[in-house]
Amino acid sequence: MIRVGLGYDKHVLTEGRKLILGGVIIPFEKGEAGHSDGDVLLHAITDALLGAAGLGDIGSYFPPSDSQWKDADSALLLKKCWQDVKNAGWVLGNLDCVIALEKPKFLPFRDQVRESIANILEVSKDQIFVKAKTGEKLGDIGQGRAVEVWSVCLLEAEK
Ligand code: MG
């Protein structure tokens, strides 16, 4: 059996915060606002994996109203959710993500980000792909006010 999951997230970009994508700190003048560390890519991935397994979503696991998740490391949050997905009998087929971000250029960091996500999930780097699109200078993305991510995953029932 296979299952598909879709995750989406959006964070405001603001000065005085780190830009963290897939667990990698990307040098930039702004970063993601957020209750946790704001890693918008890991949040979308977490939702895709939980959704595919029918286990809930990141908000039900880690309510923003709960102060223990303030500035939380999103990699640890993802690891906890992924462990539950694996315990439910699923293995990862592949994970594909699109980041909408005007600046900075993502391509120089792509391999590092894929490697980081693969390490967090303990899967092979070739199961993970990430690409980036600009907002063509239009709207929140194009004006550099926000970053968005869509993530799709395929889960396969463990043999
Ligand atoms: Mg988020």
Side-chain angles (χ1 to χ4, degrees):
M1 189 172 35
I2 60 170
R3 299 276 285 263
V4 171
L6 171 66
Y8 165 80
D9 199 17
K10 178 171 188 169
H11 281 240
V12 168
L13 288 172
T14 184
E15 282 168 18
R17 293 276 299 185
K18 287 186 178 124
L19 180 62
I20 309 178
L21 292 171
V24 175
I25 297 172
I26 312 274
F28 191 50
E29 68 218 33
K30 294 195 230 174
E32 302 111 319
H35 187 67
S36 66
D37 65 10
D39 192 327
V40 63
L41 177 54
L42 293 189
H43 294 176
I45 290 170
T46 303
D47 265 353
L49 294 169
L50 287 174
L55 287 174
D57 61 38
I58 193 167
S60 59
Y61 264 75
F62 312 107
S65 56
D66 188 336
S67 61
Q68 72 171 302
W69 310 122
K70 184 159 165 36
D71 298 323
D73 178 349
S74 296
L76 295 180
L77 307 185
L78 172 54
K79 275 184 191 218
K80 179 180 167 36
C81 294
W82 179 228
Q83 191 59 53
D84 282 3
V85 173
K86 287 194 289 185
N87 289 347
W90 299 103
V91 296
L92 185 69
N94 74 302
L95 180 70
D96 192 17
C97 309
V98 179
I99 303 171
L101 179 69
E102 196 68 18
K103 278 197 256 181
K105 287 239 176 295
F106 176 71
L107 196 56
F109 301 97
R110 168 148 75 196
D111 272 344
Q112 201 186 338
V113 169
R114 289 176 67 200
E115 189 103 45
S116 170
I117 297 165
N119 284 339
I120 293 165
L121 298 177
E122 297 177 302
V123 298
S124 157
K125 187 177 156 193
D126 66 13
Q127 290 169 277
I128 310 292
F129 205 77
V130 185
K131 67 210 75 157
K133 295 283 177 188
T134 71
E136 296 287 342
K137 308 241 181 325
L138 296 171
D140 286 343
I141 301 301
Q143 299 293 316
R145 291 192 295 262
V147 52
E148 283 177 315
V149 175
W150 293 262
S151 174
V152 172
C153 73
L154 182 84
L155 298 182
E156 297 167 2
E158 210 171 4
K159 299 274 175 343

